[in-house]
Amino acid sequence: MSTIQTNFEKIKKSIPIRTKLVAVSKTKPMEDIMEVYHCGQRDFGESKAQELLAKYDELPKDINWHMIGHLQSNKVKYIAPFVKLIHSVDSLKLLNAINKEARKNSRVIDCLLQMHIAEEDTKFGLSYEESVEILGSEVYANMKNVRITGLMCMATFTENQDQIRREFTQLTKYFTNLKNSFFMNDDTFCEKSMGMSDDYPLAIEVGSTMVRVGSLIFGSR
Ligand SMILES: *Cc1c(COP(=O)(O)O)cnc(C)c1O
């Protein structure tokens, strides 16, 4: 086994089966992705639309591609035909663009709302109030080609485990509140995408359903 494959197997073993592992392959070459693919992994995450499209074109078609990075409305068209899940919806404008491109492709695109939970103010994401505004809006009610299946967040980049735990816990509270307010009888709203290389074990403890791990598998970028 190669180093990448050894890394992958080790991480895979440390994650409960109920938690989905998204292997974050941004900036990494196709060969590296194929090594992990050959271990059976099918969910990969990228953070740039054009890079995602280029990799989709080259690589096996049974890969589930996750868009995890900040997405501009005018770039949705590159990924709309095939993307499995967009983790980074942070405005109604973006959601609208996704709905439009999904309709052109006669499909429904699953999306997560990216929530701002980090105590630093540099990260993208919605406040709780903004997410309520989107989910309660008439514009959203009329969108037929997007489906919101949960929430995503990134914790503050810090060594402080208590702070990270507090932030992840905050996401689970937002999740419960939004579930009760807008998705009471809707089991498709079920995902909490949280946890990266440095903090995924903590995220799983707090209730993550989906972790996004890059550098621990593929090496540093
Ligand atoms: C890059 C990235 C990851 C993976 O980060 P690692 O620290 O390499 O595991 C996860 N989520 C998002 C949104 C990212 O941009």
Side-chain angles (χ1 to χ4, degrees), residues 24 26 47 68-69 152 154 195-198 212-216 221:
V24 176
K26 62 188 183 195
S47 61
I68 61 169
M152 178 271 226
M154 281 170 89
M196 308 175 24
S197 289
D198 286 338
R212 313 175 307 268
V213 179
S215 42
L216 273 190
R221 291 177 296 269

Side-chain angles (χ1 to χ4, degrees), residues 108-112 135 140-141 143-144 146-151 175-192:
V108 174
I109 297 180
D110 285 349
C111 296
L112 305 179
L135 293 171
Y140 168 65
M143 291 180 191
K144 300 281 179 279
V146 289
R147 189 170 72 156
I148 293 176
T149 60
L151 305 180
F175 177 89
T176 305
N177 289 347
L178 293 174
K179 169 100 182 142
N180 290 337
S181 305
F182 298 100
F183 300 95
M184 202 52 176
N185 297 308
D186 185 352
D187 290 341
T188 58
F189 186 82
C190 63
E191 302 291 359
K192 280 165 273 183

Side-chain angles (χ1 to χ4, degrees), residues 99-150:
N99 185 61
K100 220 170 95 189
E101 294 299 327
R103 191 168 59 230
K104 283 189 201 161
N105 287 279
S106 308
R107 61 186 297 243
V108 174
I109 297 180
D110 285 349
C111 296
L112 305 179
L113 295 180
Q114 181 172 355
M115 304 300 291
H116 181 92
I117 42 109
E119 289 168 12
E120 62 192 356
D121 53 27
T122 51
K123 297 235 164 81
F124 294 106
L126 299 161
S127 68
Y128 182 73
E129 291 70 26
E130 287 169 327
S131 70
V132 167
E133 211 169 288
I134 290 175
L135 293 171
S137 72
E138 207 171 312
V139 185
Y140 168 65
N142 289 321
M143 291 180 191
K144 300 281 179 279
N145 297 78
V146 289
R147 189 170 72 156
I148 293 176
T149 60

Side-chain angles (χ1 to χ4, degrees), residues 16-208:
I17 353 176
R18 64 172 184 282
T19 309
K20 177 162 270 174
L21 170 59
V22 177
V24 176
S25 49
K26 62 188 183 195
T27 78
K28 298 296 178 182
M30 315 276 182
E31 308 86 80
D32 291 8
I33 298 176
M34 283 312 293
E35 289 193 25
V36 178
Y37 179 90
H38 288 310
C39 295
Q41 176 70 11
R42 291 297 179 269
D43 289 270
F44 290 89
E46 289 283 334
S47 61
K48 296 209 167 96
Q50 277 113 323
E51 185 175 347
L52 184 45
L53 173 58
K55 286 174 173 171
Y56 166 79
D57 279 341
E58 287 295 314
L59 292 167
K61 292 296 173 282
D62 62 345
I63 289 179
N64 301 318
W65 288 105
H66 295 248
M67 177 65 194
I68 61 169
H70 183 64
L71 179 59
Q72 287 169 285
S73 299
N74 62 357
K75 298 208 170 141
V76 174
K77 59 177 183 284
Y78 296 122
I79 60 172
F82 62 88
V83 70
K84 169 81 173 173
L85 178 63
I86 298 176
H87 292 232
S88 45
V89 173
D90 60 0
S91 70
L92 186 57
K93 177 173 178 259
L94 175 59
L95 196 60
N96 220 350
I98 297 168
N99 185 61
K100 220 170 95 189
E101 294 299 327
R103 191 168 59 230
K104 283 189 201 161
N105 287 279
S106 308
R107 61 186 297 243
V108 174
I109 297 180
D110 285 349
C111 296
L112 305 179
L113 295 180
Q114 181 172 355
M115 304 300 291
H116 181 92
I117 42 109
E119 289 168 12
E120 62 192 356
D121 53 27
T122 51
K123 297 235 164 81
F124 294 106
L126 299 161
S127 68
Y128 182 73
E129 291 70 26
E130 287 169 327
S131 70
V132 167
E133 211 169 288
I134 290 175
L135 293 171
S137 72
E138 207 171 312
V139 185
Y140 168 65
N142 289 321
M143 291 180 191
K144 300 281 179 279
N145 297 78
V146 289
R147 189 170 72 156
I148 293 176
T149 60
L151 305 180
M152 178 271 226
C153 73
M154 281 170 89
T156 300
F157 185 69
T158 174
E159 298 284 303
N160 185 336
Q161 298 298 301
D162 290 337
Q163 182 178 348
I164 298 173
R165 181 183 291 275
R166 207 158 57 233
E167 293 178 355
F168 286 153
T169 304
Q170 188 61 53
L171 187 90
T172 68
K173 288 182 182 154
Y174 289 165
F175 177 89
T176 305
N177 289 347
L178 293 174
K179 169 100 182 142
N180 290 337
S181 305
F182 298 100
F183 300 95
M184 202 52 176
N185 297 308
D186 185 352
D187 290 341
T188 58
F189 186 82
C190 63
E191 302 291 359
K192 280 165 273 183
S193 169
M194 55 186 196
M196 308 175 24
S197 289
D198 286 338
D199 54 23
Y200 80 89
L202 185 49
I204 290 170
E205 260 179 59
V206 179
S208 172

